[in-house]
Amino acid sequence: MSHSQRSDIFLLDAERTTWHDETLWFVRQKRDKAVYALPEFQDLRELASQIKNHTLSKLDFYLTQFEEAAKRNGVQVHWAADAAEHNTIVLGLIKKHGATRVVKSKSMLTEECHLNPHLIKHGVEVIDTDLGERIIQMREEAPSHVVLPAIHLKKEDVGDTFHIHLGTAKGNNDPQQLTEAARQHLREKFLAGEVAISGVNFAIAETGSVVVCTNEGNADLGVNLAKVHIACMGMEKLIPRLSDLSVFTRVLTRSATGQPVTTYTSHFTKPAPGKEMHIVIVDNGRTKQLGRPDFRASLKCIRCGACMNTCPVYRRSGGHSYDFTIPGPIGAILSPNIDMRKHASLPFASTLCGSCTDVCPVKIDIHTQLYKWRQVLAEEGEIPASKKWSMRLLSSVLSRPGVYGLGGKVARQGLRFLPHGLTHAKGYNPWAIARELPEPPKQSFREWYNQQQKNS
Amino acid sequence: MTNVFDGFKSQKRMKVGLFIPCYVDQFYPQVGIATLQLLEKLGVKAHFPKQQTCCGQPMANSGCERDAIPVYHNFVDTFQDYDYVVGPAGSCVYHVRKHFNIIDQTPQVEHVRTNTRELFDFIINVLGISEIPGSFPHKVGLHLSCHGQRGLHQANESEMTPVRDGQLKRLLTSMKGLEFTELDRNDECCGFGGTFCVSEAGISARMGQDRVKDHVRNGTQVLTGGDMSCLMHLEGIIRRGKLPIKVMHAAEILNGAIL
């Protein structure tokens, strides 16, 4: 299915679409307020962008520096070329400790690698401890947003889910009571957790530390209670120095939710006495993207989700319409790198309005990359043949002024005299499903102009 | 007719090519006429070279940029001898300026890219006119087209600042009796998006409907903007809904209202 086909399913529930759009627009407005209040925000974006550009340009150096520093701290560092290797490493560490109960804080990387199904298949219980993630885990759904993974669900949906899985009263949709039920349930899991897996927001090359940003404190609770901490990170998460971090903490949550900073910004540097800490550094297509000059900048992404909140398409099609771990505009430029054929429709799921580029806190030229992916996809034969040939035909008309003038006249006359039911037939004119065609005038501009020239 | 802009007579020596985008030529000749007449009232006699067709954007945005190359060359050949190329469509102008980078950058190509200007940008920044005396006593909803606003920087962006300001708003402010609609969302995309309007027809329509509702809710009588493509899409939705909103390109308002 293409993005537009999946969107059509989402759009069937018009009220829910309105609610989804307004909820995310509210988040965008919170972001705006936080941004307007900070006169230096545009300078911070520029600085964040430059730090990321610099780091990506010397990634091999910073990765080595990071590994050495982490090892000095007593952390064990593992390298994974792809998702399968990542999953094997993580499972191996869990098995080595004879553990079966794992708690996990939010990590888009482990979603990308499909870690949970792999662990479950091998007899490991893995519990997502971020509230939104836990809800969708119970429902066996994928996250629909990188920061707000359950944003596609209403409180009624959560009430139903908790009734089934946590035994809350049927019809209890009170957010506070539902949260309390989740809290009690998760507390048990936290206490039982033998291994804690976390994602990584930033990895600091000079210190070898990883930084995890959460609002719920679930990463801290999980990591500090378990014997073993496994931090999983994409290799693009690096920043050079600890002093660079403040630039990112200042733009990250302002862009994401409009908060000045996340509730918890936790630094994990070395294992506590008697405990183990591991870091798994994952490539999984990132080197390939780094090798594409036009798309390299997509690796600057800090996963704030601002491009999703602002995207007028995402807000009305929902995160699942992208069918990729990272949805929205940023997902549409990351996904073709992973599987061009499968995700061929995503770069076309945009009007190229450019709002994504303008909210991006690290200045990724998202809409320009969407345009460029379209060119790559067409070159690689990944656009529908009908589109390819109609564009060739259009080009041959538009590069011949005489043919264009005559063609326009014929088409206009056709529209004028054919019955409305035929010109607006929904079966073959998608424009007409919800819109009238323009009323064709008797004369084109050029015909009028010629007449004026003759008369004068 | 007396020309209130006689002070700008020197502009007449400037050689200006009128760029009328293909869909305006075919479906909205009145917008082309208004553009030509408005420029004339402002002291500029623009010329319409007949071999012009299109900027090539429909092919390029569909991923077929290479197929658009002969169209780009036709555009440059058509307009290379003019000092300025002026068109009433931010999106097409943006395409020429930004995306004609894939053909050889000869002096002619560079000249055309640099000097292709959106109509209101040309009026304000080349002609130096910031006020047009006239009267238009209606409640006007201004649709900011994304390519004009974010691409050509013709208006402030809500992503950057809460101040709602821009070239077209300033020009229209000088119209007596004109009141602007305060929209809930000042600069959300209308959902036209070129071939997006048919390849993602459902989302495109829904975006347009939401834009129109914002105008209805806040009392727009006349919906205007600088880009007829967005307006064509919004007009299609307004006419389907039989809503009491008139759609006009801003060139039509200024040309009709000028004193």
Side-chain angles (χ1 to χ4, degrees), chain B residues 25 35 38 40 42 56 69 106-107 124 128 161 166 177 181 201-202 220:
Chain B
D25 175 35
T35 304
L38 176 64
E40 204 161 325
L42 300 178
I69 289 173
T106 61
I124 291 177
T161 166
T181 309
T220 294

Side-chain angles (χ1 to χ4, degrees), chain B residues 85-144:
Chain B
V85 185
V86 178
S91 189
C92 310
V93 167
Y94 174 69
H95 192 76
V96 171
R97 293 176 65 93
K98 175 157 176 164
H99 291 298
F100 277 29
N101 61 341
I102 62 157
I103 52 175
D104 259 358
Q105 297 300 296
T106 61
Q108 290 80 7
V109 171
E110 283 182 357
H111 170 78
V112 168
R113 285 181 71 191
T114 317
N115 295 297
T116 297
R117 305 292 284 259
E118 192 274 342
L119 174 64
F120 305 110
D121 177 37
F122 178 77
I123 291 174
I124 291 177
N125 289 320
V126 179
L127 299 185
I129 296 170
S130 52
E131 274 183 47
I132 294 177
S135 162
F136 195 73
H138 302 282
K139 188 152 179 185
V140 172
L142 183 56
H143 178 73
L144 295 172

